[in-house]
Amino acid sequence: MLVRLLYASRIVTPPLTPETLDAILAVSRQRNVVAGITGILCYTPELFLQVLEGGRGPVSALYNRIAADPRHTSVEILSFEEICERRFPNWTMGQVNVGKVNPATLLKYSEQVSIDPFRVGGRASMALLDELIATAAIVGR
Ligand code: FAD
């Protein structure tokens, strides 16, 4: 059975450094491929928004590990659902720097030209991720 989990969190010591981001992405791409997990990591200097897809057991285990990671805090699940198919099958962990996203795209889903998943919630955050895929804003693998 496949599930999709979306969560948001706050970076403990902002701003996010390239070294921290690179370390997270490296371990993600290495381990997610083995666990059959795909997804996207969206980031700003202060926040993470991540979607994870895969089997219920592997996604739950990974989420518990991520939630305990001291590099971020205030980890909140925005949505969790059973799914028939993946939305992000091509990414072991795609990445999006929200600072480089077209402001009009952000404004479509938010009150401000910025992303605040804690305010806009799961549906709008997922719709934003879908749009970022459609506009080829996601990089990585
Ligand atoms: P170990 O590497 O054995 O580390 C032990 C502990 O130290 C863990 O709590 C770990 O979180 C923490 N830790 C590891 N490196 C650092 C560091 N540089 N600074 C401070 N603490 C550290 N992992 C995945 O496999 N897939 C993902 O998709 C994924 N996404 C992530 C998204 C975010 C926003 C964050 C913050 C982390 C993510 N991680 C992801 C990393 C995950 O939290 C674990 O660090 C990683 O999976 C290794 O787990 P481990 O139990 O082997 O920890």
Side-chain angles (χ1 to χ4, degrees):
M1 178 211 298
L2 286 172
V3 300
R4 180 182 303 121
L5 186 153
L6 178 69
Y7 76 84
S9 63
R10 298 187 194 283
I11 291 157
V12 166
T13 47
L16 176 65
T17 64
E19 293 75 23
T20 297
L21 180 66
D22 288 350
I24 290 170
L25 288 170
V27 74
S28 301
R29 288 171 180 152
Q30 192 183 6
R31 294 181 68 146
N32 292 359
V33 72
V34 177
I37 288 174
T38 53
I40 304 289
L41 180 66
C42 221
Y43 57 90
T44 74
E46 293 87 24
L47 294 170
F48 289 115
L49 172 68
Q50 187 177 32
V51 60
L52 303 168
E53 295 177 332
R56 184 168 61 185
V59 168
S60 302
L62 174 57
Y63 175 74
N64 288 332
R65 211 161 70 232
I66 292 173
D69 193 311
R71 289 170 285 191
H72 63 168
T73 186
S74 308
V75 187
E76 278 186 20
I77 293 177
L78 302 181
S79 73
F80 180 83
E81 58 183 332
E82 280 182 29
I83 54 173
C84 296
E85 59 184 48
R86 297 176 194 245
R87 270 191 182 139
F88 313 102
N90 296 324
W91 286 277
T92 53
M93 194 44 60
Q95 64 190 92
V96 191
N97 179 349
V98 175
K100 294 192 173 161
V101 171
N102 183 341
T105 303
L106 297 179
L107 206 49
K108 190 168 167 187
Y109 300 99
S110 184
E111 292 174 29
Q112 305 289 329
V113 186
S114 62
I115 184 173
D116 186 350
F118 292 96
R119 284 189 68 178
V120 303
R123 283 178 62 194
S125 297
M126 192 62 79
L128 172 63
L129 285 172
D130 283 337
E131 177 132 357
L132 294 177
I133 288 181
T135 55
I138 295 171
V139 297
R141 59 196 155 87

